Amino acid sequence: MSDATSRRRWLVVVVLAVALYVVVRAAHTPQSDPPPPARASASPTRSAGSSAAPSGSASSYDPADYATQVRARAQQAGVSAQLVMAILYNEAYKPHDSAFERAWQKYKPDAAFGIANMHHATFDEVKQGRDFADRKWEELPDDRDLAVEAEAWYLHDLAAQLPGRWSASYSRNDLLALGYNTGAGNMLAFARGATPGSQAQSYLDNLHANWAKAGRQSGG
């Protein structure tokens, strides 16, 4: 075998190896990095907020489409509909598609579910003694009304833990939103005057940015 023939054969082998490597890498590399989960935060037809809406892609989801559910569930829980809606806008940063959420949860088991981004332990605690006590956290991606209902009652439970007066320069809604994002313990610390970290402050800034829009959509 001549040296030229040997070199050609080795060149073909190298080219095929590189092509195979590229194909394998493409098959196992995601097209984009999935967003991080939030902190908090097929169903039957349900009352007091209409039936569960079908899940959609990130581009098709708009919290304003759930204004009816927001008003109904906020009234039931005795919380501000504007606050419930503003939090939905805050939590709309990631795709709220049920298939995406479940795929992401397999990658990161502590991820949150539903359009209100609620964690498993929080949902199981909030549902106790409520009319959705028999529902499961795993249903949240498919039942957006359930997600709104759980959000509203969680805000109700946070409000019950607020002191009668607080020294910090936050409104009641500010503290509840901070509690929704960081937990009741941190909410009470902020009420005593603790300074929010960068993530909590960003969440509060987003709430303020979404506040007027949430008021228009929820009826104030």
Side-chain angles (χ1 to χ4, degrees), residues 43-146:
S43 336
T45 299
R46 312 186 69 236
S47 61
S50 79
S51 62
S55 61
S57 66
S59 60
S60 67
Y61 169 63
D62 184 349
D65 294 337
Y66 297 86
T68 298
Q69 290 90 335
V70 165
R71 287 191 292 268
R73 298 308 185 184
Q75 183 176 14
Q76 283 182 343
V79 296
S80 164
Q82 188 171 5
L83 177 61
V84 173
M85 181 65 81
I87 286 176
L88 288 183
Y89 276 112
N90 269 33
E91 303 293 350
Y93 70 91
K94 78 175 185 181
H96 285 298
D97 172 83
S98 59
F100 173 90
E101 289 196 46
R102 289 193 169 87
W104 177 241
Q105 194 266 341
K106 288 179 181 178
Y107 175 78
K108 192 171 181 64
D110 65 345
F113 264 178
I115 57 174
N117 283 336
M118 184 166 287
H119 288 281
H120 199 163
T122 302
F123 180 80
D124 284 349
E125 181 179 350
V126 168
K127 74 178 186 178
Q128 298 301 315
R130 307 260 154 78
D131 65 359
F132 57 101
D134 61 342
R135 305 299 297 275
K136 295 182 179 179
W137 174 76
E138 289 82 2
E139 298 177 67
L140 288 176
D142 298 305
D143 191 337
R144 291 176 171 177
D145 179 44
L146 176 63

